[in-house]
């Protein structure tokens, strides 16, 4: 058995090759839910859905979010209506921190659908509607996602990190507090980051299914340590579980160069060096790292090297094999240890 911790695009890209290395029936994927939002009452889970759509063979692989070839008729009409009456298309926060209908719908991740600031495809929206209705019927997020995983014929076990809401909030140098999606989609990741907070994490719990999955060897793909892994690591008991199992992490950096995304800005914002060294500092529980051949970083933990650029399933398989070697080396060491 092996468990992947996934967020953004890094780990989903690695999963494309993982099926050639580990039996999918023996693979669990724990997905970040810190960047989830409710839009017009529909729960959108971007990091869960990237794994869901990739596994179901329908992911838009240009963007790594949404469904390939999806139409956007409803989204276009939501924006047209809002513009028509002068309401615009900026994010509009809703509600307060009250509990609604037994399910916590907290202000900090709840937005109006007026002028919809994220592009939600028509088929994508059907997934959010189904998920939200399953929650309204009383299912947990874990159960709702299991239903969706069955519908998309997923061959891995896909688990949200928690059934409780957690919201990744970006505090800007300008003194604003923005939900991650507002920072990333509406503001294009431009405002300088002063700090990142995982609202709700201290009161949230990893699910039993997640804790079971963390008893197996863990692979952290080249995801963003702050916004993809940060929300998981902020859950009580999560890091403790990782200390007790072999963990290998793939650096999303080559030295101080990042392949894609906002990782460098966000790491600087939280006071971490935006580099492989900063990644290693973020993962004190990791036993081994997979670094790029060209990465000059030296680490005090086991290192396997390969070309870590992932542009397709063959690249992903090569990086997954390096992860497998790293886990084998860590297992051998613990057997040899006195
Ligand atoms: N990213 C964008 O840059 N623009 C969008 O309009 C957008 C819409 C969207 C809708 C559903 C979904 O699941 C993801 C979406 N994303 C969009 C991606 C998302 O903002 C982030 O890349 C992830 O949250 C980071 O993991
Ligand atoms: Ca460990």
């Amino acid at each position: 058995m092996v468990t992947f911790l996934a967020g953004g695009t890094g780990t989903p890209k690695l999963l494309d090759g993982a099926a050639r290395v580990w039996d999918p029936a023996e693979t669990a994927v724990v997905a970040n839910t810190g960047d989830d939002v409710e839009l017009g009452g529909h729960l959108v889970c971007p990091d869960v859905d990237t794994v869901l759509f990739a596994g179901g063979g329908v992911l838009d692989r240009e963007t790594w979010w949404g469904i390939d070839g999806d139409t956007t008729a409803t989204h276009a009409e939501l924006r047209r209506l809002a513009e028509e009456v002068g309401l615009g298309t900026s994010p509009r926060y809703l509600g307060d921190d009250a509990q609604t209908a037994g399910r916590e719908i907290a202000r900090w991740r709840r937005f109006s659908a007026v002028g919809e600031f994220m592009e939600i495809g028509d088929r994508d929206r059907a997934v959010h509607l189904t998920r939200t209705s399953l929650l309204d019927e009383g299912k947990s997020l874990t159960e709702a996602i299991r239903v969706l995983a069955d519908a998309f014929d997923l061959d891995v076990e896909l688990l949200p990190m928690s059934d409780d809401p957690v919201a990744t909030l970006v505090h800007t140098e300008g003194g604003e507090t923005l939900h991650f999606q507002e920072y990333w989609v509406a503001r294009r990741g431009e405002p300088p980051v002063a700090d990142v907070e995982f609202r709700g994490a201290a009161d949230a719990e990893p699910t039993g299914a997640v804790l079971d999955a963390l008893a197996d060897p863990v692979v952290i793909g080249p995801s963003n340590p702050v916004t993809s892994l940060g929300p998981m690591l902020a859950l009580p008991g999560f890091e403790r579980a990782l200390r007790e199992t072999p963990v290998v992490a793939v650096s999303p950096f080559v030295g101080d160069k990042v392949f894609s995304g906002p990782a460098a800005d966000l790491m600087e914002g939280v006071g971490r060096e935006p580099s492989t060294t900063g990644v290693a500092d973020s993962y004190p529980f990791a036993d081994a790292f997979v670094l790029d051949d060209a990465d000059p970083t030296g680490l005090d933990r086991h290192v396997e090297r390969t070309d870590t650029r992932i542009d397709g399933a063959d690249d992903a398989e090569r990086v997954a094999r390096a992860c497998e070697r790293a886990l084998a080396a860590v297992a051998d060491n613990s057997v040899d240890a006195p």
Side-chain angles (χ1 to χ4, degrees), residues 7-8 35 44-47 49 65 117-120 124 128 180-181 184-185:
D35 53 8
V44 181
C45 304
D47 286 349
D49 289 353
W65 53 267
F117 79 98
M118 298 175 75
E119 182 181 296
I120 305 293
D124 190 17
H128 311 318
F180 176 73
Q181 298 299 348
W184 182 239
V185 177

Coordinates of all heavy atoms in Angstrom, one line a residue, residues 7-8 35 44-47 49 65 117-120 124 128 180-181 184-185, ligand 1:
G7 N -2.2 18.1 -3.9 CA -2.8 19.4 -4.0 C -2.3 20.0 -5.3 O -1.2 19.6 -5.7
G8 N -3.0 21.0 -5.8 CA -2.5 21.7 -7.0 C -2.3 20.8 -8.1 O -3.1 19.9 -8.4
D35 N -8.4 24.8 -0.2 CA -8.8 25.8 -1.2 C -10.2 25.6 -1.7 O -10.6 26.2 -2.7 CB -7.7 26.0 -2.3 CG -7.4 24.7 -3.0 OD1 -8.0 23.7 -2.7 OD2 -6.4 24.7 -3.8
V44 N -17.2 23.6 -4.1 CA -16.2 23.3 -5.2 C -14.9 22.9 -4.4 O -14.5 23.6 -3.5 CB -15.9 24.6 -6.0 CG1 -14.9 24.3 -7.1 CG2 -17.2 25.2 -6.6
C45 N -14.4 21.7 -4.8 CA -13.2 21.1 -4.2 C -12.1 20.9 -5.2 O -11.9 19.8 -5.8 CB -13.5 19.8 -3.5 SG -14.8 19.8 -2.3
P46 N -11.4 22.0 -5.6 CA -10.5 22.0 -6.7 C -9.4 20.8 -6.7 O -9.2 20.2 -7.7 CB -9.8 23.3 -6.7 CG -10.8 24.2 -6.1 CD -11.4 23.4 -5.0
D47 N -8.8 20.7 -5.5 CA -7.7 19.7 -5.4 C -8.2 18.2 -5.4 O -7.6 17.3 -6.0 CB -6.8 19.9 -4.2 CG -5.9 21.2 -4.4 OD1 -5.9 21.7 -5.6 OD2 -5.3 21.6 -3.5
D49 N -11.0 17.5 -7.1 CA -11.5 17.2 -8.4 C -10.5 17.1 -9.5 O -10.7 16.4 -10.4 CB -12.5 18.4 -8.8 CG -13.8 18.3 -7.9 OD1 -13.9 17.4 -7.2 OD2 -14.6 19.3 -8.0
W65 N -7.3 21.9 -14.2 CA -8.6 21.9 -13.5 C -9.7 21.9 -14.5 O -9.6 22.2 -15.6 CB -8.7 23.2 -12.6 CG -8.4 24.5 -13.3 CD1 -7.2 25.1 -13.4 CD2 -9.4 25.3 -14.0 NE1 -7.4 26.3 -14.1 CE2 -8.7 26.4 -14.5 CE3 -10.8 25.2 -14.2 CZ2 -9.4 27.5 -15.1 CZ3 -11.4 26.2 -14.9 CH2 -10.7 27.3 -15.3
F117 N -16.9 34.5 -9.9 CA -15.5 34.9 -10.2 C -14.6 33.7 -10.6 O -13.5 34.0 -11.1 CB -14.9 35.6 -9.0 CG -14.5 34.8 -7.9 CD1 -13.1 34.4 -7.7 CD2 -15.4 34.3 -6.9 CE1 -12.7 33.7 -6.7 CE2 -14.9 33.6 -5.8 CZ -13.6 33.2 -5.7
M118 N -15.0 32.5 -10.4 CA -14.3 31.3 -10.9 C -15.0 30.8 -12.1 O -16.3 30.7 -12.1 CB -14.1 30.2 -9.9 CG -13.4 30.7 -8.6 SD -13.3 29.4 -7.4 CE -12.1 28.3 -8.1
E119 N -14.3 30.3 -13.1 CA -15.0 29.7 -14.3 C -15.4 28.3 -13.9 O -14.5 27.4 -13.7 CB -14.1 29.7 -15.5 CG -14.7 29.2 -16.7 CD -13.8 29.1 -17.9 OE1 -13.4 30.2 -18.4 OE2 -13.5 28.0 -18.4
I120 N -16.7 28.1 -13.8 CA -17.2 26.7 -13.5 C -17.9 26.2 -14.8 O -18.8 26.8 -15.3 CB -18.2 26.8 -12.4 CG1 -17.6 27.5 -11.1 CG2 -18.7 25.4 -12.1 CD1 -16.5 26.7 -10.4
D124 N -18.7 20.3 -14.9 CA -18.0 20.5 -13.6 C -19.0 20.9 -12.5 O -19.0 20.3 -11.4 CB -16.9 21.6 -13.7 CG -16.0 21.7 -12.5 OD1 -15.9 20.8 -11.7 OD2 -15.3 22.8 -12.4
H128 N -20.3 19.6 -8.6 CA -20.4 20.4 -7.4 C -21.8 20.3 -6.8 O -22.0 20.2 -5.6 CB -20.1 21.9 -7.6 CG -18.8 22.0 -8.3 ND1 -17.7 21.3 -8.0 CD2 -18.4 22.8 -9.3 CE1 -16.7 21.6 -8.8 NE2 -17.1 22.6 -9.6
F180 N -7.9 31.9 -0.6 CA -6.9 31.5 -1.6 C -7.4 31.7 -3.0 O -6.7 32.2 -3.9 CB -6.4 30.0 -1.4 CG -5.5 29.6 -2.5 CD1 -4.2 30.1 -2.5 CD2 -5.9 28.8 -3.5 CE1 -3.3 29.7 -3.5 CE2 -5.0 28.4 -4.5 CZ -3.7 28.9 -4.5
Q181 N -8.7 31.3 -3.3 CA -9.2 31.4 -4.6 C -9.4 32.9 -5.0 O -9.2 33.2 -6.2 CB -10.6 30.7 -4.8 CG -10.5 29.2 -4.5 CD -9.6 28.4 -5.5 OE1 -9.2 29.0 -6.5 NE2 -9.3 27.2 -5.1
W184 N -5.8 33.9 -5.8 CA -5.2 33.2 -7.0 C -6.0 33.5 -8.3 O -5.4 33.8 -9.3 CB -5.1 31.7 -6.7 CG -4.5 30.9 -7.8 CD1 -5.0 29.8 -8.4 CD2 -3.1 31.0 -8.3 NE1 -4.1 29.3 -9.3 CE2 -3.0 30.0 -9.3 CE3 -2.1 31.9 -8.0 CZ2 -1.8 29.9 -10.0 CZ3 -0.9 31.8 -8.7 CH2 -0.8 30.8 -9.7
V185 N -7.3 33.4 -8.2 CA -8.1 33.5 -9.4 C -8.5 34.9 -9.7 O -8.2 35.5 -10.8 CB -9.4 32.6 -9.4 CG1 -10.2 32.8 -10.6 CG2 -9.0 31.1 -9.2
Ligands
LIG1 N1 -8.1 28.6 -11.7 C1 -8.0 29.7 -12.4 O1 -6.9 30.3 -12.5 N2 -9.2 30.4 -12.9 C2 -10.4 29.8 -12.8 O2 -11.4 30.4 -13.2 C3 -10.5 28.6 -12.1 C4 -11.7 27.9 -11.9 C5 -11.8 26.7 -11.3 C6 -13.0 26.0 -11.2 C7 -13.0 24.8 -10.6 C8 -11.9 24.2 -10.1 O3 -11.9 23.0 -9.5 C9 -10.7 24.9 -10.2 C10 -10.6 26.1 -10.8 N3 -9.4 26.8 -10.9 C11 -9.3 28.0 -11.6 C12 -8.1 26.2 -10.3 C13 -7.9 26.6 -8.8 O4 -8.0 27.9 -8.6 C14 -6.5 26.3 -8.3 O5 -5.6 26.1 -9.3 C15 -6.5 25.3 -7.3 O6 -7.3 25.6 -6.2 C16 -5.0 25.1 -6.8 O7 -4.9 23.8 -6.4

